[in-house]
Amino acid sequence: MTAGDHFHGDVVHMNQTTNSVGIDKRSMVPAAVPTPSTPSGLEQALEALLPLLQELRRQLGEQERPLAVRTVEAAEAEIAASAEPESRRTALERIGGIAESAGPAGASALAVIHQILTLLGG
């Protein structure tokens, strides 16, 4: 059973016996979906990416690349606002391209972006 399954009524199991009498009246309650007490690998990687993006924006600002800074800011906001993997993937790929073009300044962010894309299955 999965967490979304709901069954109502009696459940009867007959195991090829003769003279079976009775019915099992125990209720079948779906198992609760466990709430993770520790962050998943994806959540940890996204949290690790945030300070790296702040540093990348600072480095880009020093290089006087305002369009790249605005693009990183917009993609960062999109990642934070959307839980859909495809939206996050697109935003991460945009940031990854900018981080790659930034050279050594974007290397750390690029490594974490690749890790996140792997976790997202891409």
Side-chain angles (χ1 to χ4, degrees), residues 3 6 11 17 23-24 26 30 41 44 48-49 52-53 58 60 62 69 73 76 86-87 92-94 98 100 117 120:
H6 299 282
V11 175
T17 61
I23 194 164
D24 186 357
R26 290 178 285 176
Q44 289 176 338
L49 182 61
L52 296 173
L53 292 180
R58 190 181 64 74
L60 291 170
E62 289 174 2
V69 171
E73 288 172 347
E76 186 179 356
E86 193 57 40
S87 296
L92 286 164
E93 288 170 349
R94 269 187 281 155
I98 293 169
E100 190 170 21
L117 289 173
L120 288 174

mmCIF file of all heavy atoms in Angstrom, residues 3 6 11 17 23-24 26 30 41 44 48-49 52-53 58 60 62 69 73 76 86-87 92-94 98 100 117 120:
data_model
loop_
_atom_site.group_PDB
_atom_site.id
_atom_site.type_symbol
_atom_site.label_atom_id
_atom_site.label_comp_id
_atom_site.label_asym_id
_atom_site.label_seq_id
_atom_site.Cartn_x
_atom_site.Cartn_y
_atom_site.Cartn_z
ATOM 1 N N ALA A 3 0.955 5.617 0.559
ATOM 2 C CA ALA A 3 0.366 6.558 1.512
ATOM 3 C C ALA A 3 -0.977 7.108 1.046
ATOM 4 O O ALA A 3 -1.790 7.518 1.853
ATOM 5 C CB ALA A 3 1.325 7.703 1.784
ATOM 6 N N HIS A 6 -6.607 4.192 0.240
ATOM 7 C CA HIS A 6 -7.616 4.130 1.294
ATOM 8 C C HIS A 6 -8.487 2.914 1.022
ATOM 9 O O HIS A 6 -9.034 2.759 -0.062
ATOM 10 C CB HIS A 6 -8.485 5.387 1.312
ATOM 11 C CG HIS A 6 -7.708 6.632 1.576
ATOM 12 N ND1 HIS A 6 -7.282 6.986 2.837
ATOM 13 C CD2 HIS A 6 -7.240 7.580 0.746
ATOM 14 C CE1 HIS A 6 -6.609 8.107 2.774
ATOM 15 N NE2 HIS A 6 -6.554 8.486 1.510
ATOM 16 N N VAL A 11 -11.388 -7.108 5.151
ATOM 17 C CA VAL A 11 -10.353 -7.724 4.333
ATOM 18 C C VAL A 11 -10.333 -9.191 4.710
ATOM 19 O O VAL A 11 -10.184 -9.547 5.875
ATOM 20 C CB VAL A 11 -8.975 -7.085 4.596
ATOM 21 C CG1 VAL A 11 -7.894 -7.813 3.825
ATOM 22 C CG2 VAL A 11 -9.006 -5.617 4.243
ATOM 23 N N THR A 17 -7.660 -23.420 2.858
ATOM 24 C CA THR A 17 -7.946 -24.288 4.001
ATOM 25 C C THR A 17 -9.394 -24.713 3.926
ATOM 26 O O THR A 17 -10.217 -24.110 3.240
ATOM 27 C CB THR A 17 -7.698 -23.564 5.329
ATOM 28 O OG1 THR A 17 -8.548 -22.431 5.410
ATOM 29 C CG2 THR A 17 -6.248 -23.132 5.461
ATOM 30 N N ILE A 23 -13.714 -13.947 10.381
ATOM 31 C CA ILE A 23 -13.239 -12.860 9.534
ATOM 32 C C ILE A 23 -12.317 -11.979 10.376
ATOM 33 O O ILE A 23 -12.547 -11.789 11.564
ATOM 34 C CB ILE A 23 -14.419 -12.063 8.941
ATOM 35 C CG1 ILE A 23 -13.964 -11.175 7.822
ATOM 36 C CG2 ILE A 23 -15.133 -11.260 9.999
ATOM 37 C CD1 ILE A 23 -15.100 -10.664 6.947
ATOM 38 N N ASP A 24 -11.292 -11.487 9.761
ATOM 39 C CA ASP A 24 -10.325 -10.633 10.452
ATOM 40 C C ASP A 24 -10.875 -9.210 10.455
ATOM 41 O O ASP A 24 -11.034 -8.599 9.406
ATOM 42 C CB ASP A 24 -8.986 -10.708 9.715
ATOM 43 C CG ASP A 24 -7.888 -9.955 10.447
ATOM 44 O OD1 ASP A 24 -8.164 -9.334 11.486
ATOM 45 O OD2 ASP A 24 -6.751 -9.994 9.958
ATOM 46 N N ARG A 26 -9.443 -6.549 11.861
ATOM 47 C CA ARG A 26 -8.460 -5.485 12.094
ATOM 48 C C ARG A 26 -8.592 -4.445 10.993
ATOM 49 O O ARG A 26 -8.863 -4.764 9.840
ATOM 50 C CB ARG A 26 -7.044 -6.054 12.077
ATOM 51 C CG ARG A 26 -6.758 -6.930 13.279
ATOM 52 C CD ARG A 26 -5.381 -7.493 13.184
ATOM 53 N NE ARG A 26 -5.428 -8.560 12.180
ATOM 54 C CZ ARG A 26 -4.378 -9.239 11.761
ATOM 55 N NH1 ARG A 26 -3.179 -8.959 12.238
ATOM 56 N NH2 ARG A 26 -4.493 -10.194 10.880
ATOM 57 N N PRO A 30 -3.357 2.932 6.081
ATOM 58 C CA PRO A 30 -2.126 3.140 5.320
ATOM 59 C C PRO A 30 -1.029 3.719 6.203
ATOM 60 O O PRO A 30 -1.299 4.505 7.111
ATOM 61 C CB PRO A 30 -2.522 4.150 4.235
ATOM 62 C CG PRO A 30 -3.996 4.235 4.275
ATOM 63 C CD PRO A 30 -4.460 3.705 5.588
ATOM 64 N N GLY A 41 19.646 15.176 0.343
ATOM 65 C CA GLY A 41 20.850 15.605 -0.368
ATOM 66 C C GLY A 41 20.584 16.797 -1.256
ATOM 67 O O GLY A 41 21.409 17.711 -1.368
ATOM 68 N N GLN A 44 20.260 19.931 0.941
ATOM 69 C CA GLN A 44 21.585 20.328 1.420
ATOM 70 C C GLN A 44 22.388 21.003 0.318
ATOM 71 O O GLN A 44 23.061 22.005 0.548
ATOM 72 C CB GLN A 44 22.345 19.121 1.963
ATOM 73 C CG GLN A 44 21.793 18.605 3.269
ATOM 74 C CD GLN A 44 22.494 17.345 3.732
ATOM 75 O OE1 GLN A 44 23.103 16.627 2.948
ATOM 76 N NE2 GLN A 44 22.388 17.061 5.022
ATOM 77 N N ALA A 48 23.774 24.794 0.154
ATOM 78 C CA ALA A 48 25.198 25.069 -0.051
ATOM 79 C C ALA A 48 25.412 26.002 -1.241
ATOM 80 O O ALA A 48 26.387 26.754 -1.284
ATOM 81 C CB ALA A 48 25.953 23.760 -0.279
ATOM 82 N N LEU A 49 24.480 25.968 -2.195
ATOM 83 C CA LEU A 49 24.618 26.798 -3.398
ATOM 84 C C LEU A 49 24.376 28.280 -3.114
ATOM 85 O O LEU A 49 25.016 29.138 -3.731
ATOM 86 C CB LEU A 49 23.651 26.308 -4.482
ATOM 87 C CG LEU A 49 23.690 27.029 -5.819
ATOM 88 C CD1 LEU A 49 25.069 26.909 -6.460
ATOM 89 C CD2 LEU A 49 22.609 26.486 -6.741
ATOM 90 N N LEU A 52 27.357 30.449 -2.370
ATOM 91 C CA LEU A 52 28.226 30.453 -3.553
ATOM 92 C C LEU A 52 27.675 31.383 -4.629
ATOM 93 O O LEU A 52 28.437 32.054 -5.332
ATOM 94 C CB LEU A 52 28.385 29.034 -4.100
ATOM 95 C CG LEU A 52 29.085 28.039 -3.167
ATOM 96 C CD1 LEU A 52 29.023 26.645 -3.737
ATOM 97 C CD2 LEU A 52 30.507 28.475 -2.893
ATOM 98 N N LEU A 53 26.344 31.445 -4.738
ATOM 99 C CA LEU A 53 25.738 32.359 -5.706
ATOM 100 C C LEU A 53 25.924 33.810 -5.276
ATOM 101 O O LEU A 53 26.126 34.693 -6.114
ATOM 102 C CB LEU A 53 24.252 32.040 -5.886
ATOM 103 C CG LEU A 53 23.936 30.720 -6.573
ATOM 104 C CD1 LEU A 53 22.435 30.529 -6.696
ATOM 105 C CD2 LEU A 53 24.601 30.629 -7.937
ATOM 106 N N ARG A 58 28.794 38.792 -6.438
ATOM 107 C CA ARG A 58 29.769 39.807 -6.037
ATOM 108 C C ARG A 58 30.935 39.858 -7.032
ATOM 109 O O ARG A 58 31.329 40.938 -7.480
ATOM 110 C CB ARG A 58 30.302 39.500 -4.630
ATOM 111 C CG ARG A 58 31.131 40.638 -4.036
ATOM 112 C CD ARG A 58 31.667 40.287 -2.663
ATOM 113 N NE ARG A 58 32.605 39.176 -2.666
ATOM 114 C CZ ARG A 58 33.870 39.261 -3.121
ATOM 115 N NH1 ARG A 58 34.321 40.390 -3.604
ATOM 116 N NH2 ARG A 58 34.660 38.219 -3.082
ATOM 117 N N LEU A 60 30.909 38.872 -10.159
ATOM 118 C CA LEU A 60 30.418 39.385 -11.446
ATOM 119 C C LEU A 60 30.241 40.894 -11.387
ATOM 120 O O LEU A 60 30.501 41.593 -12.355
ATOM 121 C CB LEU A 60 29.101 38.704 -11.833
ATOM 122 C CG LEU A 60 29.196 37.229 -12.201
ATOM 123 C CD1 LEU A 60 27.803 36.635 -12.323
ATOM 124 C CD2 LEU A 60 29.993 37.029 -13.473
ATOM 125 N N GLU A 62 31.951 42.950 -9.597
ATOM 126 C CA GLU A 62 33.277 43.559 -9.661
ATOM 127 C C GLU A 62 33.803 43.575 -11.094
ATOM 128 O O GLU A 62 34.580 44.436 -11.469
ATOM 129 C CB GLU A 62 34.255 42.805 -8.752
ATOM 130 C CG GLU A 62 33.990 43.025 -7.280
ATOM 131 C CD GLU A 62 34.861 42.160 -6.386
ATOM 132 O OE1 GLU A 62 35.710 41.405 -6.899
ATOM 133 O OE2 GLU A 62 34.677 42.233 -5.158
ATOM 134 N N VAL A 69 24.671 39.421 -13.463
ATOM 135 C CA VAL A 69 24.233 39.496 -12.061
ATOM 136 C C VAL A 69 22.714 39.410 -11.990
ATOM 137 O O VAL A 69 22.161 38.658 -11.181
ATOM 138 C CB VAL A 69 24.743 40.789 -11.385
ATOM 139 C CG1 VAL A 69 24.109 40.971 -10.012
ATOM 140 C CG2 VAL A 69 26.261 40.768 -11.271
ATOM 141 N N GLU A 73 20.419 36.492 -10.232
ATOM 142 C CA GLU A 73 19.406 36.838 -9.230
ATOM 143 C C GLU A 73 18.037 36.287 -9.621
ATOM 144 O O GLU A 73 17.326 35.726 -8.790
ATOM 145 C CB GLU A 73 19.328 38.349 -9.048
ATOM 146 C CG GLU A 73 20.521 38.935 -8.321
ATOM 147 C CD GLU A 73 20.531 40.463 -8.316
ATOM 148 O OE1 GLU A 73 19.749 41.082 -9.071
ATOM 149 O OE2 GLU A 73 21.333 41.027 -7.558
ATOM 150 N N GLU A 76 18.046 32.483 -9.326
ATOM 151 C CA GLU A 76 18.053 32.112 -7.908
ATOM 152 C C GLU A 76 16.642 32.229 -7.320
ATOM 153 O O GLU A 76 16.178 31.360 -6.591
ATOM 154 C CB GLU A 76 19.025 33.008 -7.144
ATOM 155 C CG GLU A 76 19.219 32.625 -5.707
ATOM 156 C CD GLU A 76 20.215 33.540 -5.006
ATOM 157 O OE1 GLU A 76 20.812 34.428 -5.626
ATOM 158 O OE2 GLU A 76 20.365 33.356 -3.792
ATOM 159 N N GLU A 86 11.837 20.555 -13.381
ATOM 160 C CA GLU A 86 12.151 21.124 -14.693
ATOM 161 C C GLU A 86 12.447 22.621 -14.598
ATOM 162 O O GLU A 86 13.380 23.117 -15.238
ATOM 163 C CB GLU A 86 11.007 20.870 -15.682
ATOM 164 C CG GLU A 86 11.380 21.148 -17.117
ATOM 165 C CD GLU A 86 12.586 20.341 -17.598
ATOM 166 O OE1 GLU A 86 12.703 19.162 -17.250
ATOM 167 O OE2 GLU A 86 13.414 20.918 -18.330
ATOM 168 N N SER A 87 11.692 23.353 -13.782
ATOM 169 C CA SER A 87 11.952 24.779 -13.592
ATOM 170 C C SER A 87 13.301 25.002 -12.923
ATOM 171 O O SER A 87 14.072 25.877 -13.316
ATOM 172 C CB SER A 87 10.860 25.419 -12.737
ATOM 173 O OG SER A 87 9.632 25.362 -13.388
ATOM 174 N N LEU A 92 19.025 26.399 -13.053
ATOM 175 C CA LEU A 92 20.379 25.972 -12.716
ATOM 176 C C LEU A 92 21.290 25.957 -13.943
ATOM 177 O O LEU A 92 22.463 26.308 -13.864
ATOM 178 C CB LEU A 92 20.352 24.598 -12.058
ATOM 179 C CG LEU A 92 19.835 24.574 -10.622
ATOM 180 C CD1 LEU A 92 19.478 23.157 -10.203
ATOM 181 C CD2 LEU A 92 20.850 25.176 -9.679
ATOM 182 N N GLU A 93 20.733 25.542 -15.069
ATOM 183 C CA GLU A 93 21.533 25.526 -16.297
ATOM 184 C C GLU A 93 21.920 26.942 -16.713
ATOM 185 O O GLU A 93 23.038 27.174 -17.173
ATOM 186 C CB GLU A 93 20.787 24.802 -17.409
ATOM 187 C CG GLU A 93 20.728 23.292 -17.175
ATOM 188 C CD GLU A 93 19.794 22.562 -18.109
ATOM 189 O OE1 GLU A 93 18.998 23.209 -18.839
ATOM 190 O OE2 GLU A 93 19.832 21.314 -18.111
ATOM 191 N N ARG A 94 21.002 27.894 -16.529
ATOM 192 C CA ARG A 94 21.331 29.295 -16.825
ATOM 193 C C ARG A 94 22.455 29.794 -15.927
ATOM 194 O O ARG A 94 23.419 30.410 -16.392
ATOM 195 C CB ARG A 94 20.096 30.189 -16.651
ATOM 196 C CG ARG A 94 19.294 30.342 -17.927
ATOM 197 C CD ARG A 94 18.201 31.349 -17.732
ATOM 198 N NE ARG A 94 17.143 30.646 -17.011
ATOM 199 C CZ ARG A 94 16.237 31.205 -16.246
ATOM 200 N NH1 ARG A 94 16.228 32.492 -16.056
ATOM 201 N NH2 ARG A 94 15.319 30.501 -15.656
ATOM 202 N N ILE A 98 26.606 30.896 -16.739
ATOM 203 C CA ILE A 98 27.236 32.135 -16.263
ATOM 204 C C ILE A 98 28.434 31.804 -15.379
ATOM 205 O O ILE A 98 29.503 32.411 -15.505
ATOM 206 C CB ILE A 98 26.216 33.013 -15.521
ATOM 207 C CG1 ILE A 98 25.172 33.523 -16.519
ATOM 208 C CG2 ILE A 98 26.893 34.175 -14.810
ATOM 209 C CD1 ILE A 98 23.969 34.172 -15.893
ATOM 210 N N GLU A 100 30.260 29.175 -15.462
ATOM 211 C CA GLU A 100 31.332 28.646 -16.310
ATOM 212 C C GLU A 100 32.075 29.777 -17.017
ATOM 213 O O GLU A 100 33.297 29.779 -17.112
ATOM 214 C CB GLU A 100 30.749 27.669 -17.327
ATOM 215 C CG GLU A 100 31.781 26.882 -18.080
ATOM 216 C CD GLU A 100 31.154 25.766 -18.894
ATOM 217 O OE1 GLU A 100 29.943 25.833 -19.192
ATOM 218 O OE2 GLU A 100 31.885 24.833 -19.227
ATOM 219 N N LEU A 117 22.094 19.059 -10.389
ATOM 220 C CA LEU A 117 21.523 18.526 -11.632
ATOM 221 C C LEU A 117 21.548 17.001 -11.631
ATOM 222 O O LEU A 117 20.601 16.363 -12.102
ATOM 223 C CB LEU A 117 22.259 19.100 -12.841
ATOM 224 C CG LEU A 117 22.003 20.582 -13.124
ATOM 225 C CD1 LEU A 117 22.916 21.084 -14.235
ATOM 226 C CD2 LEU A 117 20.540 20.815 -13.480
ATOM 227 N N LEU A 120 18.775 15.850 -9.497
ATOM 228 C CA LEU A 120 17.488 16.038 -10.183
ATOM 229 C C LEU A 120 17.312 15.061 -11.330
ATOM 230 O O LEU A 120 16.261 15.025 -11.969
ATOM 231 C CB LEU A 120 17.375 17.475 -10.711
ATOM 232 C CG LEU A 120 17.173 18.577 -9.667
ATOM 233 C CD1 LEU A 120 17.233 19.946 -10.312
ATOM 234 C CD2 LEU A 120 15.852 18.386 -8.937
#
